[in-house]
Amino acid sequence: MNPYSTLPDRAFWKKAVSEKSIFDISNLWSPKFKITKDSKVVTFGSCFAQHIGNALDSRGFNWVSTETPPKGLSQENAKKYNYNIFSARTGNIYTTSLLKQWVEWATGI
């Protein structure tokens, strides 16, 4: 017996995802709450977080960007200087401890 023997099929990538048609994949997670288009959502992280923010924004969700680019700044330079990449111009945040540090700096803790 091992700690995995009692887990359901959905706990294993091969059984839950790779051996199924994309149309048959279901019940992989149970969200604790629903994100609606009115929910304020922020993203911080790395490349993955950038894509999540873009996907939410392009689908009409309330993705929060706290720093808008100055008027007249080209889209190329706005991206270069991290405007509208994450919810704030922090650059990549790879750990929860770094995100906590940024929140403490922002709130004065």
Side-chain angles (χ1 to χ4, degrees):
M1 183 146 174
N2 65 60
Y4 306 104
S5 60
T6 59
L7 294 177
D9 285 352
R10 67 181 169 80
F12 300 94
W13 180 261
K14 186 174 183 180
K15 292 178 181 179
V17 178
S18 71
E19 291 180 344
K20 292 189 174 188
S21 159
I22 191 168
F23 301 108
D24 294 328
I25 296 172
S26 62
N27 300 318
L28 292 181
W29 67 89
S30 299
K32 292 182 181 179
F33 54 89
K34 185 175 181 174
I35 298 173
T36 67
K37 290 193 174 190
D38 295 327
S39 303
K40 290 183 179 181
V41 180
V42 297
T43 56
F44 294 95
S46 61
C47 300
F48 182 75
Q50 293 177 41
H51 296 300
I52 294 293
N54 287 335
L56 289 169
D57 192 39
S58 69
R59 288 167 175 80
F61 282 80
N62 191 5
W63 178 71
V64 177
S65 178
T66 61
E67 298 179 77
T68 55
K71 288 185 175 151
L73 188 65
S74 69
Q75 279 196 306
E76 180 184 333
N77 278 331
K79 185 174 182 174
K80 178 180 176 182
Y81 293 107
N82 283 331
Y83 286 100
N84 297 322
I85 301 295
F86 302 113
S87 290
R89 293 186 317 126
T90 58
N92 288 335
I93 294 177
Y94 294 110
T95 65
T96 53
S97 58
L98 183 54
L99 178 57
K100 179 179 182 276
Q101 186 175 22
W102 273 102
V103 170
E104 289 172 349
W105 287 338
T107 58
I109 294 174

